[in-house]
Amino acid sequence: MLAAALFVPGLAACKSDEPAPAAGGPAASAIPSDPKEALLASMKEIEKGNFTFVVTSDGDFAVSGTVHLPSKSAEMKMGGQATEDLTMQTHFVHIDADTWALLEFGGAMAEMIPEVHALKGKYQHLDRSKIKDVKDLQFDFVDVDPAGTKPLIEAITEVEKTGEGAYAGTVDGSKATDSDWFDADTLKELGGKAGAIPFTAQLDGQGRLSKMTLQMPASATSKAQEITVTYADYGTANPVQKPPADKIVEASDDVYDMLT
């Protein structure tokens, strides 16, 4: 159950204010007039791999992070109430071929697992060869958007411009299977509702995506929820730093068992 709580489909503390214009960004006049083309074009700056992001889900969970492709570094933080008896705070740091994970759990469930206490305050240095089959523990420095927004935009079926840089429409989740927002289990639970998921999006003055929100309907096992991803600091994100040496330990077999 601890391992399952680490990987929450549709989610994954950094600055979330709308960024100031950065040199080299597209001029407002260059934003395509066609709504879907404008949203597709808004992903170009994300693909450069220099930004911060935040993903929230009705306050239950928050995932935030930094991507800094120039230094081949990235980080992701996640925290919230995983279950009624389990809270979770995690911090994954990826620098080139190295990965460190800070895993901290609380609540009645965590208290029943002795191994959890040994994790507190320590970054586990992970052997990539032991986690190579766990997609959620990898960071792809080619496909650099952990929020998986591009497949959502590509799966838009209806969209209209509703204001300055503002758009609204629907996404066909069954056509966004490359995004973690719509894995096989989610699609199965949503059934026919997956074909028309309402969304809104906001672009900044340079046509870069600053916010996208999905209105996920209720299913047999989950309540209706609003999932929002925001992007900021285009071109100005800071390189991610390696954890302090005195807080790093080599991951034990128990940690690998938990993660895999």
Side-chain angles (χ1 to χ4, degrees):
M1 293 180 70
L2 284 172
L6 281 169
F7 312 122
V8 182
L11 291 181
C14 58
K15 303 173 187 175
S16 59
D17 295 329
E18 184 171 314
S29 60
I31 300 173
S33 58
D34 178 81
K36 185 169 182 178
E37 290 302 317
L39 291 172
L40 289 171
S42 75
M43 300 300 298
K44 291 180 180 178
E45 286 298 309
I46 292 175
E47 292 167 358
K48 293 180 180 179
N50 192 331
F51 58 87
T52 59
F53 69 96
V54 178
V55 184
T56 57
S57 173
D58 282 350
D60 293 334
F61 267 88
V63 180
S64 62
T66 299
V67 177
H68 193 262
L69 190 56
S71 62
K72 209 171 183 182
S73 64
E75 67 176 343
M76 291 183 65
K77 298 178 181 180
M78 180 166 67
Q81 192 78 31
T83 70
E84 182 178 350
D85 299 319
L86 180 67
T87 62
M88 177 178 61
Q89 298 288 331
T90 67
H91 183 199
F92 287 92
V93 176
H94 308 276
I95 301 178
D96 201 357
D98 286 302
T99 295
W100 298 267
L102 179 67
L103 312 169
E104 296 192 326
F105 302 93
M109 183 185 299
E111 291 300 317
M112 294 187 294
I113 305 175
E115 292 85 352
V116 165
H117 301 288
L119 300 175
K120 190 172 181 62
K122 296 296 184 181
Y123 282 84
Q124 309 291 320
H125 182 241
L126 302 177
D127 180 343
R128 289 277 184 89
S129 68
K130 295 182 179 181
I131 58 172
K132 58 183 175 63
D133 295 326
V134 186
K135 177 185 175 183
D136 301 271
L137 294 178
Q138 313 298 320
F139 189 86
D140 187 347
F141 285 103
V142 176
D143 180 8
V144 294
D145 179 16
T149 305
K150 187 175 182 179
L152 297 179
I153 292 177
E154 291 174 335
I156 288 174
T157 52
E158 295 182 10
V159 59
E160 63 178 351
K161 188 173 182 179
T162 57
E164 188 62 34
Y167 301 85
T170 56
V171 170
D172 184 347
S174 67
K175 296 180 179 178
T177 53
D178 287 340
S179 172
D180 289 338
W181 298 44
F182 291 101
D183 60 14
D185 290 338
T186 301
L187 290 173
K188 183 177 180 180
E189 290 182 5
L190 291 174
K193 297 178 183 179
I197 306 295
F199 82 91
T200 58
Q202 182 68 46
L203 309 188
D204 67 12
Q206 296 186 54
R208 304 170 301 194
L209 184 66
S210 59
K211 182 178 181 179
M212 185 171 184
T213 298
L214 286 185
Q215 301 288 343
M216 298 288 283
S219 70
T221 60
S222 63
K223 64 180 182 180
Q225 60 178 324
E226 182 175 278
I227 301 176
T228 298
V229 55
T230 60
Y231 295 93
D233 303 313
Y234 285 111
T236 62
N238 294 318
V240 178
Q241 302 300 308
K242 179 180 176 180
D246 62 347
K247 294 186 179 296
I248 295 176
V249 297
E250 290 299 319
S252 66
D253 289 341
D254 287 336
V255 170
Y256 289 112
D257 287 344
M258 182 186 301
L259 294 175
T260 60

